[in-house]
């Protein structure tokens, strides 16, 4: 992924066992300065990790000007979206010095990551964090550009909107028969769904009720079982709806996995029933050694891919608006965010955007 000076190279995020596990499926590559590793517009095949040298990614703007959108050095990973789904390269990546590294083929990586070993879990988690960082960075770029749908921030004075809300093990209607058909639970078997349900609580909330507020410490992840929830993001005095989430969509997990506070607000848009997975239960399900852990990883990655695809659509629309207004600098910044992904993977057909 594109990295700045303060970012930690991908290989350094993995312990020795996970690093060797990853590289066991990789093919060594080396090339001279000026060689092209990825060409914009080509179908993706996999991702690269550098061990020596440097590379940079560029896009060609309307009018023929070339814009550098990302730079990579030793330990950096790029093109990681191709490891999850087939996609199209958004930028051309070329060597700016003699370089060496490894190429990770998509199919080989998937066979590796499907294993139920500590190393596979560590690798899946590290790549989930990469997707989360990419989504946050791209959403921040989207929010930098004003849009017609922006509204004034409405500040909430409730520290925890769910304080005092009754939690139940079973809502007014029986959700169990519907769970296998919900997108989040694709790939879960009956016993794995039962584990998630047993570890969770259900909430019935009316339209307009908050779920969590900006700055609130993350205490749970949520899955919409019925109704809809909207995710609202803020920049300065502006507020924008980033997503509307329906049945089978998961949200709140990003701040939970990062161990931080929520950077957005979640509010019920239509009377809803939510499945609340408290932090301790979520960590046990996600980080455990059982099959449910693998299913949780895949469900969250599908959600992130769908959210990234939605953000790409926002970026494309904002780029067009900026070009029509003649706002070259704004358009170039948005082009940089879009092209800097290196590979823009389409959302899986069954996936839905995450909050």
């Amino acid at each position: 992924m594109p990295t700045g000076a303060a970012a930690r190279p991908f290989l350094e995020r993995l312990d020795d066992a996970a690093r060797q596990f990853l590289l066991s499926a990789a093919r060594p590559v080396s090339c001279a300065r000026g060689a092209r590793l990825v060409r914009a517009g080509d179908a993706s095949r996999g991702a690269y990790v550098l061990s020596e040298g440097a590379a940079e990614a560029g896009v060609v703007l309307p009018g023929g000007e070339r814009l550098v959108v990302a730079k990579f050095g030793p330990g950096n990973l790029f093109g990681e979206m191709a490891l999850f789904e087939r996609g199209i390269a958004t930028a051309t990546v070329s060597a700016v010095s003699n370089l060496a590294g490894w190429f990770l083929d998509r199919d080989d990586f998937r066979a590796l990551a499907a294993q139920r070993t500590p190393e596979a879990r560590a690798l899946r988690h590290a790549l989930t964090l990469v997707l989360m960082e990419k989504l946050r960075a791209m959403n921040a770029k989207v929010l930098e550009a004003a849009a017609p749908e922006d509204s004034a921030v409405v500040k909430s004075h409730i520290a925890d909107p769910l304080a005092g809300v009754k939690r139940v093990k079973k809502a007014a209607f029986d959700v169990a028969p519907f769970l296998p058909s919900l997108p989040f639970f694709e790939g879960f078997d009956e016993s794995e769904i039962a584990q998630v349900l047993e570890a969770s609580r259900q909430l019935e909330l009316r339209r307009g009720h908050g779920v969590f507020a900006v700055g609130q410490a993350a205490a749970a992840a949520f899955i919409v079982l019925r109704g809809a929830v909207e995710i609202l993001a803020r920049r300065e005095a502006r507020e924008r709806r980033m997503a509307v989430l329906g049945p089978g969509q998961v949200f709140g997990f990003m701040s939970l996995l990062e161990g931080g506070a929520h950077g957005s607000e979640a509010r019920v848009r239509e009377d809803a029933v939510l499945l609340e997975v408290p932090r301790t239960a979520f960590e046990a399900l996600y980080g455990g050694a059982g099959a449910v852990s693998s299913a949780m990883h895949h469900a969250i990655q599908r959600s992130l891919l769908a959210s990234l695809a939605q953000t790409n659509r926002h970026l494309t629309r904002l780029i067009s608006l900026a070009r029509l207004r003649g706002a070259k600098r704004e358009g170039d910044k948005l082009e940089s965010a879009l092209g800097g992904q290196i590979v823009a993977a389409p959302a899986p057909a069954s996936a839905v955007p995450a909050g």
Side-chain angles (χ1 to χ4, degrees), residues 299-313:
I300 285 171
Q301 288 173 351
R302 288 196 307 271
S303 181
L304 287 165
L305 289 173
S307 291
L308 284 161
Q310 178 168 293
T311 300
N312 283 342
R313 292 192 290 272

Side-chain angles (χ1 to χ4, degrees), residues 13-14 30 39 50 56 58 65 82 98 114 116 135 151 169 199 202 221 223 253-254 260-261 270 299-300 314 344 348:
R13 303 177 184 213
L14 303 174
S30 61
R39 186 202 304 264
L50 297 188
E56 67 178 23
E65 178 186 357
N98 294 343
R116 295 177 183 174
L135 179 59
S151 59
K169 289 302 292 183
Q202 296 176 39
I223 303 168
F253 64 86
M254 289 176 58
E270 298 174 7
I300 285 171
H314 287 317

Side-chain angles (χ1 to χ4, degrees), residues 205-210 228 230 241 267-272:
L205 302 174
R206 304 291 291 180
R207 174 182 171 87
H209 201 293
E230 58 184 356
R241 181 187 302 128
R267 185 189 305 154
V268 175
R269 185 167 177 81
E270 298 174 7
D271 291 358

Side-chain angles (χ1 to χ4, degrees), residues 163-232:
V165 172
K166 183 180 180 181
R167 273 78 166 178
V168 297
K169 289 302 292 183
K170 191 171 183 179
F173 81 105
D174 186 8
V175 301
F178 300 97
L179 295 184
S181 64
L182 295 181
F184 179 84
F185 291 105
E186 178 185 335
F188 286 68
D189 64 23
E190 186 175 327
S191 66
E192 291 158 3
I193 292 176
Q195 288 181 62
V196 175
L197 197 57
E198 177 60 29
S200 305
R201 303 169 294 189
Q202 296 176 39
L203 309 173
E204 298 186 65
L205 302 174
R206 304 291 291 180
R207 174 182 171 87
H209 201 293
V211 181
F212 52 73
V214 175
Q216 179 184 341
F222 301 88
I223 303 168
V224 182
L225 302 182
R226 192 180 218 179
V229 171
E230 58 184 356
I231 305 298
L232 303 161

